[in-house]
Structures are given as structure tokens and as C-alpha cells.
Amino acid sequence: MQGVTMTESRGSVPSSSQAPSSARGKIIVALVFAAALGAFFYFDLGRFLSLDALKENRDNLLAFTGTHYGAAVGLFIATYILQTAFSLPGGAIMTLAGGFLFGAVLGTVFVNVGATTGATLAFLAARYLLRDWVEKKFGDRLGPIQAGFAKNAFSYLMTLRLIPAFPFFLVNLVSGLTRVTLGTYMLATAIGIIPGSFVYAYAGRQLGTINSLKEIASPQVLLAFTLLGLLALLPALYKKFFPAKT
């Protein structure tokens, strides 16, 4: 930035004491992520996030929710935040459970709160703490996404959220490497996940009739999401082909 004094410039360079502190912070966060992932797979916690497990425990879950509604909502949102922040599998099952326990509308709202918060934590971790790891892991996929964000961050992120071809966790991490603002990221995420969340939450109301998640994500539903995602790109395409005249 222009007008920065020599003292301020020197102050912007991390000191020798700050660098080890930053490195320790990254190591601690990496260990927390590794511990969470290790515990998830070591204790096979994924077995609780399956369609069969949800059906087997439906009566107990309904009873607990009916007796302790506030606690059930809090636990559901907290679990969804952790699942999303640590990029653990089971998002679809969690959304089904939300619809089953709280109804399609409230289930979608609670899912949105949990998913958006968890995605924001993953975004911040990638931006401030895991940048080196993410670039090394997914560097070959960053080029097109970076170009899209440079043109129209909100529209591009909406498209990534709507089209099922892009893994949710990968968008969270890669977005942290772009210059999109936190507010834009959170707004686009919260809006972009509404259609998919509602579809699964609504399906959760008919839990007993569902035998596979593929029955929910039918080709027609996937096509509809894809079209919505392409629709979100229209502002960016308009700017590209019809640039503002100066």
C-alpha cells in the first residue's frame, strides 16, 4: 500500500520469534485435524453415519428429539459443524437426519447453519493455516478455479456449490486460497447449498421408503442442480462477453 513508512514496512516482515510461533500454530492445527480424522476412522465412527444406522436408531432419535428438542438441535448443528470443518464423510446422511427429525424446512435451516459454519472454519484453516498443504495436495486443480474467482467470486462460488460434480470439502479448502472475501464466501455458500439441502431434508421425511442415497440424487435432480449452477454463472458470462464500456 502506498504511503507505508520504512518502519511499517520492516514491521510487516515476521520476526524470528514470530516465525516459530506461526509454525507451531500450523503444526498444532495439523495435529488436531490428523487426530480427528484418525479417531473417526480408527473407531469406525462412519458406521453411525449410514442409512442403515439412521433407520435402526430412528425411534430413539425421535424420542430424544421430542423430549429434549433444544438439545437435539444444538447437538445436530454442532455435529454438522465438526463433520464439515474436518471434511469427514456423512454430510448426506446428516442432512437426511435433519429432515427426518426436524422437518424439511427447519431441517434445511439447521443444516445450513451447521454446513455454512463448518465450511467457513475449513475455509479459514486453508487460508491462514493450511495453505502450503492445500497447494501441494490440490495444486493441479487450482488453475481454473482461481481464474473463475478472479472474474466473479460470488457467481463462481455459487456455481461450485450448486453443481454436484465439485466435492463440497474441496471447494471449502480451495476457496481459502483465493482472494474471495469471507463475507462473499459465507453468503454464496449459505445460498448455494439451500437447494441440495432441501432435497435431502425433504427426502428424510420419507426415511422408511429410502433404500439408497442414489434414489435421492436421481439424474433429473442432478441435472436440475447443474442447470441452476450454470444459471448462477450468467453474470460472470455477461461481464466476459459484454464488458462495460469506458
Side-chain angles (χ1 to χ4, degrees):
M1 188 173 65
Q2 295 180 354
V4 177
T5 65
M6 186 65 70
T7 302
E8 290 172 330
S9 299
R10 291 194 188 101
S12 63
V13 179
S15 66
S16 58
S17 61
Q18 290 174 325
S21 177
S22 176
R24 283 196 297 269
K26 291 183 179 181
I27 292 174
I28 291 173
V29 171
L31 290 175
V32 170
F33 269 79
L37 290 172
F40 181 85
F41 291 106
Y42 180 80
F43 294 106
D44 193 21
L45 299 180
R47 70 184 187 276
F48 298 113
L49 295 175
S50 67
L51 188 58
D52 290 338
L54 184 58
K55 288 183 175 181
E56 290 173 3
N57 294 280
R58 56 182 297 175
D59 293 336
N60 292 332
L61 291 172
L62 281 174
F64 179 83
T65 302
T67 306
H68 310 283
Y69 187 83
V73 172
L75 286 171
F76 176 80
I77 293 176
T79 302
Y80 214 118
I81 290 173
L82 292 174
Q83 180 271 325
T84 306
F86 289 104
S87 303
L88 300 173
I93 296 299
M94 287 290 297
T95 307
L96 276 177
F100 169 64
L101 295 173
F102 310 112
V105 176
L106 285 179
T108 300
V109 172
F110 298 150
V111 165
N112 196 288
V113 173
T116 301
T117 304
T120 300
L121 292 176
F123 167 87
L124 292 174
R127 170 161 291 185
Y128 298 111
L129 298 170
L130 302 178
R131 183 183 297 270
D132 295 339
W133 179 84
V134 173
E135 287 181 341
K136 181 178 179 181
K137 187 72 174 179
F138 305 107
D140 57 333
R141 309 185 196 181
L142 293 180
I145 295 178
Q146 290 279 29
F149 272 103
K151 296 174 182 177
N152 194 313
F154 184 83
S155 295
Y156 199 78
L157 185 54
M158 281 280 291
T159 299
L160 294 177
R161 291 306 191 193
L162 288 165
I163 297 180
F166 301 101
F168 190 79
F169 81 94
L170 183 58
V171 176
N172 296 339
L173 298 179
V174 172
S175 296
L177 305 180
T178 68
R179 295 183 179 181
V180 61
T181 64
L182 179 61
T184 298
Y185 173 82
M186 293 181 67
L187 182 62
T189 296
I191 296 175
I193 65 176
I194 288 175
S197 298
F198 182 78
V199 167
Y200 277 86
Y202 182 81
R205 300 301 293 169
Q206 290 83 38
L207 183 63
T209 64
I210 300 174
N211 297 312
S212 171
L213 294 179
K214 294 181 180 179
E215 297 177 11
I216 304 172
S218 64
Q220 293 84 353
V221 171
L222 296 178
L223 177 60
F225 287 163
T226 301
L227 292 175
L228 283 173
L230 295 176
L231 184 64
L233 268 182
L234 286 181
L237 294 175
Y238 182 85
K239 289 182 179 180
K240 178 178 180 180
F241 293 105
F242 302 97
K245 295 182 180 180
T246 56

